[in-house]
Amino acid sequence: MIGPKLTLEHVSYAYGAQSALQDVSGQFLPGSLTALTGPNGAGKSTLLQIIAGLLKPQKGRVSCSFSQGAVGYMPQTSTVRRDYPLHVLKAVYTGFWPQAGAHHAITPTLKQRALEALHEVGLEGFEKRPLSALSGGQFQRLLFARLIVQDPALILLDEPFSGIDTKTTAQLMERLLAWHRQGRTILCVLHDPLVIRRYFPEAFVLCHHCIGKGLTHDLLEQKILFSDFETRISA
Amino acid sequence: MNLSAFFLDPFFEHVFMKRALVAALVLAITTTPFGVFLALRRMTLVGDAIAHALLPGVAVGFLLAGFSLWAMTLGGLCAALLVAVLAGFLTRATSLKEDSAFTLLYLLALACGVILMSLKGRQLELMHLLFGHVLAIDPASLFMIAGVGCFALLTLAALYRRLVVEGFDPVFLHIMQGAGKSRSTSHFLFFLLLMLCLVVSFQTMGTLMALGLMILPALAARFWCSDLDSMIFSAMIFGVFSAYGGLLLSYHGGVPSGPAIILIAGLWALVSAFLGRVGSLRAHHVTH
């Protein structure tokens, strides 16, 4: 699989008078694995939502060659209803929407894929559990299982590891790296400097506008990454 | 008195009891799934408001055409649509919240309905419209209830997966479908079907209790099931037993039949809230 190339051209977005993004440009190459980082309220989630097509940029444009259903977007879990009366396996089935749509059957082959995905994220044996019985970490694993069955070429993750213990983070990170090896384009909002330094080859530092982009290593050397964001902006 | 005489004979001996039972059973089976979705969307009060808002439309139908099934049904549907559209408009255009907008409009509608009825109708007809007349269902109404109920249930089945995915993770469905157009289509269709169900429930249960047989079994089922499919199935079962038990109570106790059905359904829900397996008082007591 070859992920799409993603280009941002002068993207701006404001919530009323509150500006979230100002003139953000940049390019994400096919198969790149990029950490999107910056202080709280820097517009990271807004940018992800614009790329996912949930928001329309008020200025500028996003060009990306992915087709409908080929984008996997994992929002911060607060937007997913964890008390919805579904069993774990059926929640994973929702990831088959691109193939099965609103009416087609979940075939035994698809069921097998869903079971394998659950196995891969360490949720085997949880198929019949209700969602409300899952812990925060288990629920995050479930969302990863759904991404696996959805099989998207472009993957957008919004703080997938917040509130997750290090063991779970390491396991889910392995999955992310496997997707990277398969050539998918991945963009992940993250705060943890250790995780970014260790796993993400590229970074994109955002604070309303793009402060720096490129190889994580270079950005570290130039002290753009993890420097005091606030002083840099006022400078 | 032997058991079959108590439990079965009322429905074999009287045609009106037989029709009432069929009507109530059809409603119990076809409308309770809507109650389940309504409760999951946390919109039970909106449903109740729409049910009450039917009255002026039905009253206009009654004033123009007497006790005509079609005129009253069409009038009720128009009134419900009007209230829903107006409430949506008020919510968007002013600082009123959705619940306040619906409350404002349904009280207004209820008052208009009662005044309209008083212009021509007698007290008895008003009581029929407010509390239903399940014992006076004629074959034409019965066919209408069954037809509309089956249509609504089958359409809901076609929308089912969309509604489930949307309820669980609306953002996911939004992305899968690109533009927000399809989302509002399923939302709109769900509400249209809900209104259809309320209009036919209205025939039997009256405007004040039309939502009862739809929502109470759904609330009871939530305390027994953690999965949507089984929840809907249990809601149907609760509904069937409420309909049957209520009519039996009405017959032997000499009490009004619509309220008797709602009484039984309400008791199921209340008992489930105490003794159910999921999220009930007992379940909380066991886990804490």
Side-chain angles (χ1 to χ4, degrees):
Chain A
M1 170 170 302
I2 295 173
K5 184 171 107 173
L6 182 66
T7 313
L8 308 175
E9 292 169 67
H10 310 289
V11 171
S12 294
Y13 195 88
Y15 298 95
Q18 186 74 35
S19 172
L21 297 171
Q22 295 159 356
D23 196 24
V24 176
S25 296
Q27 205 173 56
F28 304 93
L29 293 175
S32 58
L33 172 61
T34 312
L36 179 59
T37 191
N40 287 329
K44 304 185 295 293
S45 297
T46 305
L47 184 60
L48 228 51
Q49 286 173 28
I50 287 175
I51 295 171
L54 291 169
L55 297 175
K56 289 230 178 314
Q58 288 152 348
K59 279 184 203 152
R61 60 191 213 104
V62 177
S63 47
C64 185
S65 53
F66 66 85
S67 59
Q68 214 52 253
V71 53
Y73 170 65
M74 193 191 288
Q76 287 165 311
T77 42
S78 50
T79 64
V80 184
R81 267 188 73 177
R82 285 183 54 182
D83 62 344
Y84 208 77
L86 281 182
H87 287 166
V88 166
L89 186 62
K90 286 184 191 160
V92 175
Y93 282 170
T94 62
F96 287 126
W97 189 276
Q99 297 101 310
H103 304 295
H104 293 289
I106 303 293
T107 60
T109 325
L110 292 184
K111 183 182 178 182
Q112 191 54 39
R113 272 180 55 198
L115 289 171
E116 283 165 9
L118 280 175
H119 179 80
E120 196 178 333
V121 298
L123 283 180
E124 66 271 29
F126 281 69
E127 296 84 9
K128 294 276 176 204
R129 298 266 185 102
L131 294 183
S132 52
L134 297 184
S135 70
Q138 287 165 342
F139 194 79
Q140 207 63 11
R141 288 166 187 260
L142 166 72
L143 291 182
F144 266 79
R146 184 175 70 174
L147 265 185
I148 292 174
V149 303
Q150 194 195 327
D151 195 26
L154 173 67
I155 298 174
L156 308 168
L157 307 166
D158 199 346
E159 300 196 33
F161 308 128
S162 65
I164 306 292
D165 64 31
T166 40
K167 181 173 160 242
T168 308
T169 301
Q171 286 175 348
L172 295 182
M173 199 58 229
E174 279 309 314
R175 181 63 243 179
L176 211 60
L177 293 174
W179 277 327
H180 179 49
R181 285 191 295 273
Q182 289 165 356
R184 298 169 208 258
T185 308
I186 305 172
L187 192 54
C188 181
V189 173
L190 271 181
H191 286 295
D192 189 341
L194 292 176
V195 176
I196 296 178
R197 197 181 324 201
R198 179 151 173 216
Y199 296 111
F200 287 81
E202 288 170 64
F204 192 99
V205 188
L206 191 70
C207 190
H208 304 303
H209 51 270
C210 173
I211 319 183
K213 54 178 188 271
L215 296 177
T216 307
H217 181 76
D218 296 346
L219 290 173
L220 279 169
E221 296 233 311
Q222 296 161 22
K223 299 199 187 307
I224 290 174
L225 205 50
F226 319 130
S227 64
D228 188 342
F229 291 119
E230 304 299 330
T231 51
R232 176 158 288 278
I233 290 148
S234 55
Chain B
M1 188 194 285
N2 66 29
L3 282 178
S4 85
F6 185 85
F7 285 107
L8 298 177
D9 282 3
F11 303 104
F12 283 112
E13 283 174 5
H14 306 288
V15 174
F16 68 90
M17 284 299 282
K18 202 180 283 180
R19 285 183 189 151
L21 183 66
V22 173
L25 288 182
V26 167
L27 284 179
I29 291 170
T30 56
T31 66
T32 45
F34 287 90
V36 171
F37 277 107
L38 207 58
L40 280 175
R41 289 167 167 244
R42 303 183 181 125
M43 295 185 85
T44 54
L45 284 175
V46 170
D48 208 26
I50 291 177
H52 298 342
L54 298 174
L55 190 63
V58 176
V60 169
F62 174 76
L63 288 180
L64 293 178
F67 257 110
S68 150
L69 189 61
W70 287 101
M72 286 165 60
T73 302
L74 206 65
L77 199 60
C78 291
L81 271 172
L82 188 67
V83 163
V85 169
L86 258 179
F89 171 74
L90 281 178
T91 313
R92 276 193 304 274
T94 72
S95 63
L96 268 187
K97 294 275 174 278
E98 192 178 46
D99 60 331
S100 310
F102 269 105
T103 308
L104 165 78
L105 290 170
Y106 99 71
L107 284 170
L108 196 65
L110 208 53
C112 288
V114 173
I115 289 171
L116 278 173
M117 283 305 289
S118 73
L119 292 181
K120 186 184 174 188
R122 293 166 305 229
Q123 209 62 21
L124 180 70
E125 284 148 349
L126 179 61
M127 290 297 277
H128 272 170
L129 295 187
L130 288 177
F131 297 106
H133 49 135
V134 62
L135 297 183
I137 293 288
D138 58 11
S141 308
L142 204 54
F143 277 115
M144 179 171 223
I145 292 169
V148 170
C150 290
F151 170 76
L153 191 63
L154 289 175
T155 317
L156 184 73
L159 284 176
Y160 186 73
R161 193 181 289 170
R162 198 179 289 271
L163 289 172
V164 172
V165 174
E166 187 195 347
F168 169 54
D169 189 350
V171 171
F172 177 76
L173 189 67
H174 192 129
I175 288 187
M176 288 301 119
Q177 300 189 322
K181 208 177 60 190
S182 319
R183 183 199 173 271
S184 50
T185 313
S186 68
H187 197 70
F188 176 74
L189 268 178
F190 175 78
F191 264 93
L192 205 62
L193 293 173
L194 179 77
M195 285 173 196
L196 273 176
C197 286
L198 286 172
V199 171
V200 291
S201 298
F202 166 88
Q203 302 273 331
T204 45
M205 311 302 297
T207 182
L208 291 184
M209 299 197 185
L211 191 70
L213 190 53
M214 181 187 294
I215 199 77
L216 290 171
L219 295 184
R222 289 189 81 175
F223 290 109
W224 297 99
C225 308
S226 55
D227 185 66
L228 190 58
D229 299 350
S230 46
M231 197 180 278
I232 286 175
F233 188 68
S234 328
M236 289 176 172
I237 304 280
F238 275 118
V240 163
F241 278 100
S242 306
Y244 173 74
L247 285 173
L248 213 55
L249 173 69
S250 156
Y251 182 83
H252 291 297
V255 294
S257 48
I261 292 174
I262 301 303
L263 180 74
I264 302 284
L267 286 178
W268 282 123
L270 201 58
V271 168
S272 304
F274 281 99
L275 298 177
R277 285 193 308 125
V278 186
S280 69
L281 206 65
R282 185 190 65 145
H284 279 296
H285 193 69
V286 172
T287 49
H288 292 300

